[in-house]
Amino acid sequence: MIHEVDDVLRALIRAEVLEGGQIAVVFDAPTREWAAKVNAPMVNLYLYDIREDMRRRERGLHNDYDERGTIVARRRPPRFFKLSYLITAWTKRPEDEHRLLSSLLGCLLRYEALPPERLAGTLAEIGAPVPMSIALPPPEDRSFADVWSALGGELKPSLDLVVSVPVTASPSYVVGPPVGDEGLQARFGDVPEGTEPLSEPMPGRGGLPVYGGRPGRPGRLGGPGSPGGPGSPGGGAPRTSDTERRRGLSLRITESRMAAAADGIRGGTADHAEDNTEDGAE
Protein backbone atom coordinates (compact mmCIF):
# COMPACT_ATOMS: atom_id res chain seq x y z
CA MET A 1 0.00 0.00 0.00
CA ILE A 2 2.95 2.34 0.43
CA HIS A 3 3.52 2.57 -3.32
CA GLU A 4 -0.20 3.35 -3.80
CA VAL A 5 0.09 6.27 -1.37
CA ASP A 6 3.15 7.46 -3.30
CA ASP A 7 1.17 7.45 -6.55
CA VAL A 8 -1.71 9.41 -5.00
CA LEU A 9 0.62 12.07 -3.55
CA ARG A 10 2.53 12.41 -6.81
CA ALA A 11 -0.67 12.83 -8.84
CA LEU A 12 -2.14 15.30 -6.31
CA ILE A 13 0.96 17.53 -6.27
CA ARG A 14 1.35 17.49 -10.03
CA ALA A 15 -2.30 18.39 -10.60
CA GLU A 16 -2.87 21.05 -7.92
CA VAL A 17 0.57 22.52 -7.16
CA LEU A 18 2.83 22.20 -10.17
CA GLU A 19 -0.02 22.47 -12.73
CA GLY A 20 1.97 20.89 -15.50
CA GLY A 21 5.22 22.73 -14.67
CA GLN A 22 8.61 21.21 -15.41
CA ILE A 23 9.23 20.20 -11.81
CA ALA A 24 9.85 16.55 -10.91
CA VAL A 25 8.37 14.77 -7.91
CA VAL A 26 10.79 12.21 -6.41
CA PHE A 27 11.01 10.05 -3.29
CA ASP A 28 14.80 9.88 -2.82
CA ALA A 29 16.69 10.20 0.44
CA PRO A 30 18.06 13.78 0.55
CA THR A 31 21.62 12.86 1.49
CA ARG A 32 24.62 15.09 0.94
CA GLU A 33 25.69 13.09 -2.13
CA TRP A 34 22.20 13.25 -3.63
CA ALA A 35 21.90 17.00 -3.02
CA ALA A 36 25.19 17.59 -4.84
CA LYS A 37 23.75 15.96 -8.00
CA VAL A 38 20.51 17.99 -8.11
CA ASN A 39 20.57 20.21 -11.20
CA ALA A 40 16.83 20.81 -11.83
CA PRO A 41 13.87 22.01 -9.77
CA MET A 42 12.11 19.18 -7.94
CA VAL A 43 9.93 18.30 -4.97
CA ASN A 44 11.22 15.51 -2.79
CA LEU A 45 8.91 13.38 -0.57
CA TYR A 46 11.22 11.25 1.55
CA LEU A 47 9.52 8.48 3.56
CA TYR A 48 11.55 8.48 6.75
CA ASP A 49 9.30 6.71 9.29
CA ILE A 50 6.63 3.97 9.43
CA ARG A 51 4.81 3.15 12.66
CA GLU A 52 1.35 2.03 13.76
CA ASP A 53 -1.25 4.61 14.73
CA MET A 54 -2.32 3.17 18.09
CA ARG A 55 -5.14 5.68 18.49
CA ARG A 56 -7.00 4.11 15.57
CA ARG A 57 -6.67 0.46 16.59
CA GLU A 58 -10.01 -1.34 16.99
CA ARG A 59 -10.97 -4.48 18.88
CA GLY A 60 -13.30 -7.29 17.92
CA LEU A 61 -14.05 -8.74 14.48
CA HIS A 62 -15.72 -7.45 11.32
CA ASN A 63 -18.31 -9.54 9.44
CA ASP A 64 -18.11 -10.49 5.76
CA TYR A 65 -21.47 -10.95 4.03
CA ASP A 66 -22.49 -12.72 0.83
CA GLU A 67 -25.03 -11.52 -1.74
CA ARG A 68 -27.92 -12.76 0.45
CA GLY A 69 -26.74 -10.81 3.49
CA THR A 70 -25.57 -13.93 5.36
CA ILE A 71 -22.39 -13.81 7.43
CA VAL A 72 -19.82 -16.10 5.78
CA ALA A 73 -16.59 -15.08 7.55
CA ARG A 74 -15.13 -12.80 10.17
CA ARG A 75 -11.86 -10.91 10.07
CA ARG A 76 -9.93 -8.48 12.20
CA PRO A 77 -10.52 -4.75 11.63
CA PRO A 78 -7.91 -2.86 9.58
CA ARG A 79 -4.90 -1.46 11.39
CA PHE A 80 -3.67 2.01 10.49
CA PHE A 81 0.01 2.79 9.95
CA LYS A 82 1.46 6.28 9.85
CA LEU A 83 3.68 7.04 6.87
CA SER A 84 5.78 10.11 7.63
CA TYR A 85 7.12 12.05 4.63
CA LEU A 86 9.73 14.79 4.75
CA ILE A 87 8.77 17.23 1.97
CA THR A 88 11.47 19.55 0.64
CA ALA A 89 11.76 21.84 -2.39
CA TRP A 90 14.94 22.01 -4.44
CA THR A 91 15.67 24.98 -6.71
CA LYS A 92 18.60 27.30 -7.36
CA ARG A 93 17.17 30.19 -5.31
CA PRO A 94 15.86 30.00 -1.71
CA GLU A 95 13.00 32.34 -2.62
CA ASP A 96 11.73 29.86 -5.22
CA GLU A 97 11.93 27.06 -2.66
CA HIS A 98 9.88 29.07 -0.17
CA ARG A 99 7.28 29.88 -2.84
CA LEU A 100 7.02 26.19 -3.75
CA LEU A 101 6.71 25.14 -0.09
CA SER A 102 3.93 27.70 0.38
CA SER A 103 1.98 26.22 -2.55
CA LEU A 104 2.49 22.69 -1.18
CA LEU A 105 1.26 23.74 2.27
CA GLY A 106 -1.85 25.46 0.88
CA CYS A 107 -2.73 22.43 -1.22
CA LEU A 108 -2.31 19.81 1.51
CA LEU A 109 -4.16 21.89 4.12
CA ARG A 110 -7.32 21.64 2.02
CA TYR A 111 -7.57 17.92 2.69
CA GLU A 112 -7.99 16.00 5.92
CA ALA A 113 -7.67 12.72 4.01
CA LEU A 114 -6.45 11.62 0.61
CA PRO A 115 -9.08 12.51 -2.03
CA PRO A 116 -11.32 9.44 -2.52
CA GLU A 117 -11.53 9.99 -6.27
CA ARG A 118 -7.75 9.58 -6.54
CA LEU A 119 -7.56 6.31 -4.60
CA ALA A 120 -6.88 3.17 -6.61
CA GLY A 121 -6.01 -0.46 -6.09
CA THR A 122 -6.20 -1.79 -2.54
CA LEU A 123 -6.89 1.64 -1.05
CA ALA A 124 -10.05 1.96 -3.15
CA GLU A 125 -11.20 -1.61 -2.38
CA ILE A 126 -11.05 -1.06 1.38
CA GLY A 127 -13.51 1.81 1.17
CA ALA A 128 -12.12 3.48 4.31
CA PRO A 129 -10.81 7.07 4.42
CA VAL A 130 -7.06 7.61 4.48
CA PRO A 131 -6.43 10.47 6.96
CA MET A 132 -3.45 12.75 6.64
CA SER A 133 -2.00 15.73 8.50
CA ILE A 134 0.55 18.35 7.51
CA ALA A 135 3.11 20.36 9.48
CA LEU A 136 2.20 19.07 12.95
CA PRO A 137 4.81 19.17 15.74
CA PRO A 138 7.00 16.05 15.67
CA PRO A 139 6.76 13.42 18.43
CA GLU A 140 8.81 13.93 21.57
CA ASP A 141 11.09 11.01 20.71
CA ARG A 142 12.09 12.45 17.33
CA SER A 143 13.03 15.82 15.85
CA PHE A 144 13.67 16.88 12.27
CA ALA A 145 17.20 17.85 13.16
CA ASP A 146 17.88 14.22 14.05
CA VAL A 147 16.54 13.14 10.66
CA TRP A 148 18.86 15.51 8.83
CA SER A 149 21.78 14.43 10.99
CA ALA A 150 21.10 10.78 10.14
CA LEU A 151 21.00 11.66 6.44
CA GLY A 152 24.30 13.49 6.69
CA GLY A 153 22.94 16.54 4.89
CA GLU A 154 22.41 20.20 5.69
CA LEU A 155 19.21 21.30 7.44
CA LYS A 156 16.61 22.72 5.02
CA PRO A 157 13.08 24.07 5.51
CA SER A 158 10.64 21.19 5.14
CA LEU A 159 7.07 20.06 5.68
CA ASP A 160 6.17 16.95 7.67
CA LEU A 161 3.32 14.99 6.04
CA VAL A 162 1.79 12.05 7.94
CA VAL A 163 -0.62 9.68 6.13
CA SER A 164 -2.50 7.02 8.16
CA VAL A 165 -3.02 4.16 5.74
CA PRO A 166 -5.28 1.18 6.62
CA VAL A 167 -3.81 -2.32 6.27
CA THR A 168 -6.19 -5.29 6.09
CA ALA A 169 -3.66 -8.12 5.91
CA SER A 170 -5.26 -10.37 8.56
CA PRO A 171 -6.57 -13.96 8.67
CA SER A 172 -10.18 -14.70 7.80
CA TYR A 173 -12.22 -16.97 10.06
CA VAL A 174 -14.91 -18.94 8.22
CA VAL A 175 -18.18 -19.26 10.18
CA GLY A 176 -20.59 -22.18 10.24
CA PRO A 177 -23.87 -22.31 8.34
CA PRO A 178 -26.71 -20.18 9.72
CA VAL A 179 -29.25 -21.80 12.03
CA GLY A 180 -32.78 -21.81 10.63
CA ASP A 181 -36.17 -22.38 12.22
CA GLU A 182 -35.97 -26.06 11.38
CA GLY A 183 -32.76 -26.50 13.35
CA LEU A 184 -34.53 -27.38 16.62
CA GLN A 185 -37.31 -29.93 17.07
CA ALA A 186 -38.85 -30.68 20.45
CA ARG A 187 -41.45 -33.35 21.18
CA PHE A 188 -43.33 -34.05 24.39
CA GLY A 189 -45.17 -37.16 25.51
CA ASP A 190 -44.61 -40.88 25.22
CA VAL A 191 -42.60 -42.35 22.37
CA PRO A 192 -44.78 -44.25 19.88
CA GLU A 193 -44.69 -48.02 20.25
CA GLY A 194 -43.43 -48.60 16.71
CA THR A 195 -40.35 -46.42 17.22
CA GLU A 196 -37.08 -48.22 17.70
CA PRO A 197 -35.08 -46.93 20.67
CA LEU A 198 -31.89 -45.09 19.85
CA SER A 199 -29.95 -46.61 22.74
CA GLU A 200 -28.22 -49.95 22.41
CA PRO A 201 -26.36 -52.04 24.97
CA MET A 202 -22.68 -51.25 25.11
CA PRO A 203 -20.30 -54.16 24.46
CA GLY A 204 -19.46 -55.78 27.78
CA ARG A 205 -21.63 -53.34 29.73
CA GLY A 206 -25.18 -54.60 29.52
CA GLY A 207 -28.01 -52.17 30.13
CA LEU A 208 -25.97 -48.98 29.53
CA PRO A 209 -27.03 -46.73 26.62
CA VAL A 210 -24.70 -45.79 23.80
CA TYR A 211 -23.29 -42.24 23.93
CA GLY A 212 -25.61 -39.94 22.01
CA GLY A 213 -28.69 -42.09 22.60
CA ARG A 214 -32.03 -40.69 23.66
CA PRO A 215 -31.81 -39.48 27.27
CA GLY A 216 -34.20 -41.06 29.72
CA ARG A 217 -34.99 -44.01 27.45
CA PRO A 218 -33.75 -47.38 28.74
CA GLY A 219 -32.13 -49.91 26.47
CA ARG A 220 -34.10 -52.76 24.95
CA LEU A 221 -34.90 -55.54 27.32
CA GLY A 222 -34.00 -59.02 26.39
CA GLY A 223 -31.03 -57.92 24.27
CA PRO A 224 -27.62 -59.57 24.45
CA GLY A 225 -25.95 -58.85 27.77
CA SER A 226 -29.00 -57.04 29.14
CA PRO A 227 -30.79 -58.20 32.31
CA GLY A 228 -33.14 -61.03 31.42
CA GLY A 229 -31.69 -61.40 27.93
CA PRO A 230 -29.67 -64.18 26.34
CA GLY A 231 -26.34 -64.74 28.01
CA SER A 232 -27.45 -63.30 31.34
CA PRO A 233 -28.44 -65.19 34.49
CA GLY A 234 -32.05 -66.21 34.25
CA GLY A 235 -32.17 -65.26 30.58
CA GLY A 236 -35.19 -66.06 28.52
CA ALA A 237 -37.70 -65.12 31.20
CA PRO A 238 -40.59 -63.03 29.89
CA ARG A 239 -40.30 -59.34 30.57
CA THR A 240 -42.92 -56.64 30.66
CA SER A 241 -43.17 -54.20 27.78
CA ASP A 242 -42.53 -50.45 28.02
CA THR A 243 -46.26 -49.73 28.17
CA GLU A 244 -46.83 -52.24 30.96
CA ARG A 245 -43.89 -50.91 32.92
CA ARG A 246 -45.14 -47.34 32.58
CA ARG A 247 -48.65 -48.42 33.54
CA GLY A 248 -47.34 -50.40 36.50
CA LEU A 249 -45.30 -47.44 37.61
CA SER A 250 -48.33 -45.16 37.51
CA LEU A 251 -50.39 -47.74 39.39
CA ARG A 252 -47.75 -48.06 42.06
CA ILE A 253 -47.67 -44.29 42.48
CA THR A 254 -51.47 -44.24 42.73
CA GLU A 255 -51.52 -47.06 45.21
CA SER A 256 -48.87 -45.36 47.31
CA ARG A 257 -50.92 -42.17 47.44
CA MET A 258 -54.09 -44.13 48.31
CA ALA A 259 -52.23 -46.08 50.95
CA ALA A 260 -50.91 -42.88 52.47
CA ALA A 261 -54.42 -41.43 52.47
CA ALA A 262 -55.82 -44.62 54.02
CA ASP A 263 -53.14 -44.57 56.68
CA GLY A 264 -54.04 -40.99 57.44
CA ILE A 265 -57.74 -41.87 57.73
CA ARG A 266 -57.01 -44.87 59.92
CA GLY A 267 -54.67 -42.80 62.02
CA GLY A 268 -57.28 -40.10 62.44
CA THR A 269 -59.98 -42.70 63.31
CA ALA A 270 -57.74 -44.36 65.85
CA ASP A 271 -56.97 -41.03 67.46
CA HIS A 272 -60.68 -40.24 67.58
CA ALA A 273 -61.42 -43.64 69.12
CA GLU A 274 -58.76 -43.11 71.75
CA ASP A 275 -60.25 -39.73 72.56
CA ASN A 276 -63.72 -41.29 72.93
CA THR A 277 -62.28 -44.04 75.10
CA GLU A 278 -60.56 -41.58 77.31
CA ASP A 279 -63.71 -39.49 77.53
CA GLY A 280 -65.72 -42.55 78.45
CA ALA A 281 -63.19 -43.57 81.01
CA GLU A 282 -63.40 -40.27 82.58
Side-chain angles (χ1 to χ4, degrees):
M1 293 187 181
I2 297 177
H3 64 284
E4 296 175 350
V5 176
D6 293 345
D7 295 339
V8 174
L9 293 176
R10 180 188 289 111
L12 179 64
I13 291 175
R14 284 179 176 176
E16 301 190 16
V17 177
L18 306 180
E19 298 179 354
Q22 300 299 320
I23 300 178
V25 179
V26 298
F27 297 87
D28 300 331
T31 60
R32 187 185 298 272
E33 293 78 9
W34 178 86
K37 299 177 182 180
V38 174
N39 53 11
M42 64 181 58
V43 175
N44 187 11
L45 286 78
Y46 172 57
L47 178 63
Y48 69 92
D49 189 49
I50 302 174
R51 64 179 63 191
E52 184 177 0
D53 191 353
M54 299 301 296
R55 298 174 300 176
R56 299 182 183 274
R57 177 179 287 193
E58 300 180 14
R59 302 294 180 182
L61 296 174
H62 287 183
N63 297 328
D64 292 341
Y65 300 90
D66 60 6
E67 62 279 0
R68 297 177 300 176
T70 304
I71 300 176
V72 295
R74 291 185 175 92
R75 64 178 65 250
R76 296 176 183 174
R79 297 169 64 177
F80 288 79
F81 288 83
K82 296 190 297 184
L83 309 182
S84 300
Y85 291 88
L86 187 68
I87 303 179
T88 52
W90 298 81
T91 62
K92 294 182 179 180
R93 301 176 55 202
E95 294 83 356
D96 296 335
E97 294 181 357
H98 297 170
R99 187 177 297 106
L100 189 54
L101 287 176
S102 177
S103 299
L104 289 168
L105 180 61
C107 171
L108 297 175
L109 280 176
R110 292 196 294 267
Y111 300 98
E112 295 184 355
L114 293 180
E117 64 275 7
R118 296 188 179 276
L119 300 181
T122 309
L123 293 178
E125 294 176 0
I126 295 175
V130 184
M132 68 177 182
S133 59
I134 184 67
L136 292 181
E140 297 180 357
D141 59 344
R142 184 182 68 246
S143 64
F144 297 130
D146 297 336
V147 176
W148 285 106
S149 299
L151 293 172
E154 297 180 358
L155 184 63
K156 286 178 63 69
S158 59
L159 298 174
D160 186 43
L161 175 66
V162 179
V163 180
S164 296
V165 55
V167 178
T168 58
S170 63
S172 178
Y173 307 97
V174 180
V175 301
V179 179
D181 297 337
E182 69 281 359
L184 177 63
Q185 295 182 0
R187 296 180 179 178
F188 300 92
D190 293 338
V191 179
E193 291 299 325
T195 305
E196 282 291 326
L198 298 181
S199 59
E200 296 290 343
M202 295 178 64
R205 299 290 299 277
L208 295 179
V210 176
Y211 176 79
R214 187 173 300 173
R217 182 70 182 271
R220 289 186 294 183
L221 297 175
S226 63
S232 63
R239 306 292 293 179
T240 57
S241 64
D242 293 345
T243 305
E244 293 174 352
R245 284 189 287 104
R246 284 196 292 269
R247 184 181 299 112
L249 179 60
S250 62
L251 290 175
R252 284 194 295 272
I253 294 175
T254 305
E255 291 173 358
S256 299
R257 293 176 178 174
M258 293 175 62
D263 291 341
I265 295 174
R266 287 196 298 269
T269 305
D271 294 340
H272 182 67
E274 290 177 1
D275 294 340
N276 292 338
T277 304
E278 292 178 359
D279 293 340
E282 292 177 357

